[in-house]
Amino acid sequence: AQSVTQLGSHVSVSEGALVLLRCNYSSSVPPYLFWYVQYPNQGLQLLLKYTSAATLVKGINGFEAEFKKSETSFHLTKPSAHMSDAAEYFCAVSKGGGYNKLIFGAGTRLAVHP
Amino acid sequence: EAGVAQSPRYKIIEKRQSVAFWCNPISGHATLYWYQQILGQGPKLLIQFQNNGVVDDSQLPKDRFSAERLKGVDSTLKIQPAKLEDSAVYLCASSLVVAGGRNEQFFGPGTRLTVL
């Protein structure tokens, strides 16, 4: 069975500091991995996805993530946090080959302070 | 391009009452999903449609939840009767026909349900 673990339900950084949100997955088959962002009272928006091409994936708003098979990780990073990055971030895994079912982690709430 | 539309945005009901949510996916998206997002948790898939057929409803509490997608476009999700633990945000998403699990799912703004 597939699962996703996001370490840290809350992360707080200063504006301009590095953002690192952790995601570890469990999958019996090569996975597809996704990061979604959710702003208050809105739906989820795709930041980036890994679909077995390049292991370093660049997304929107300056975010990127690196797929590390040996560590079963797909951590999300951004070199310099902006106030507008404050939101909830979800990592998700899909086993592919089937019907696109996403398994989400519990989410990490990112706070950015001046 | 218009996004996924959902209504209502908010709903408050008493337990044991019934409620229905509506979703209109992005035009041309054959696959439609309903997720339940309980406060503090990630979204959990309730049901997935491919056109107007169900391809996954393994986590749908079928004794009280039902969903349909007539004509393969709009969809409704119904809860009857509602319980306190059904309080959550119900998200609808849509995607193009699956290609091995790589397709992006586009999410609507959700319906926040409060059961008193």
Side-chain angles (χ1 to χ4, degrees):
Chain A
Q2 295 176 300
S3 66
V4 173
T5 301
Q6 291 185 241
L7 298 176
S9 58
H10 290 82
V11 171
S12 181
V13 301
S14 299
E15 191 173 20
L18 171 72
V19 175
L20 171 61
L21 304 182
R22 299 178 185 273
C23 172
N24 287 88
Y25 69 91
S26 172
S27 177
S28 58
V29 298
Y32 297 138
L33 294 159
F34 305 78
W35 274 101
Y36 281 85
V37 61
Q38 186 176 34
Y39 298 102
N41 297 316
Q42 296 186 27
L44 280 70
Q45 178 185 7
L46 182 68
L47 278 177
L48 48 81
K49 62 181 178 181
Y50 166 75
T51 57
S52 74
T55 57
L56 182 61
V57 182
K58 295 187 182 300
I60 62 172
N61 302 337
F63 284 93
E64 63 181 37
E66 186 172 9
F67 173 68
K68 293 187 177 180
K69 184 178 178 180
S70 62
E71 299 177 7
T72 61
S73 69
F74 190 56
H75 301 330
L76 181 70
T77 61
K78 182 174 181 178
S80 177
H82 192 273
M83 297 294 288
S84 61
D85 294 327
E88 185 133 26
Y89 293 79
F90 293 94
C91 182
V93 62
S94 169
K95 67 178 180 180
Y99 286 103
N100 217 32
K101 178 177 179 177
L102 289 177
I103 307 296
F104 284 89
T108 297
R109 184 168 298 278
L110 175 67
V112 182
H113 51 86
Chain B
E1 175 181 270
V4 176
Q6 290 188 248
S7 68
R9 291 295 311 275
Y10 305 91
K11 190 74 176 179
I12 300 174
I13 62 172
E14 302 279 337
K15 60 182 179 183
R16 290 187 290 273
Q17 285 186 323
S18 62
V19 64
F21 313 127
W22 174 81
C23 172
N24 182 238
I26 292 173
S27 177
H29 282 193
T31 311
L32 185 147
Y33 315 78
W34 283 102
Y35 290 88
Q36 180 191 58
Q37 185 179 17
I38 293 174
L39 186 65
Q41 299 180 21
K44 180 185 79 173
L45 181 70
L46 292 176
I47 189 168
Q48 178 180 344
F49 292 93
Q50 183 91 344
N51 296 308
N52 60 350
V54 175
V55 297
D56 189 337
D57 63 357
S58 57
Q59 297 194 85
L60 185 74
K62 298 180 184 64
D63 58 335
R64 298 183 300 106
F65 285 65
S66 64
E68 61 181 9
R69 190 183 184 196
L70 300 176
K71 301 181 181 179
V73 182
D74 293 9
S75 177
T76 56
L77 176 69
K78 297 179 182 178
I79 308 175
Q80 182 180 7
K83 293 185 175 181
L84 295 177
E85 58 261 36
D86 297 332
S87 293
V89 175
Y90 291 85
L91 295 165
C92 180
S94 69
S95 70
L96 292 169
V97 174
V98 295
R102 290 169 289 180
N103 284 348
E104 175 184 354
Q105 295 184 24
F106 293 83
F107 285 80
T111 297
R112 182 176 298 276
L113 174 67
T114 301
V115 182
L116 303 176

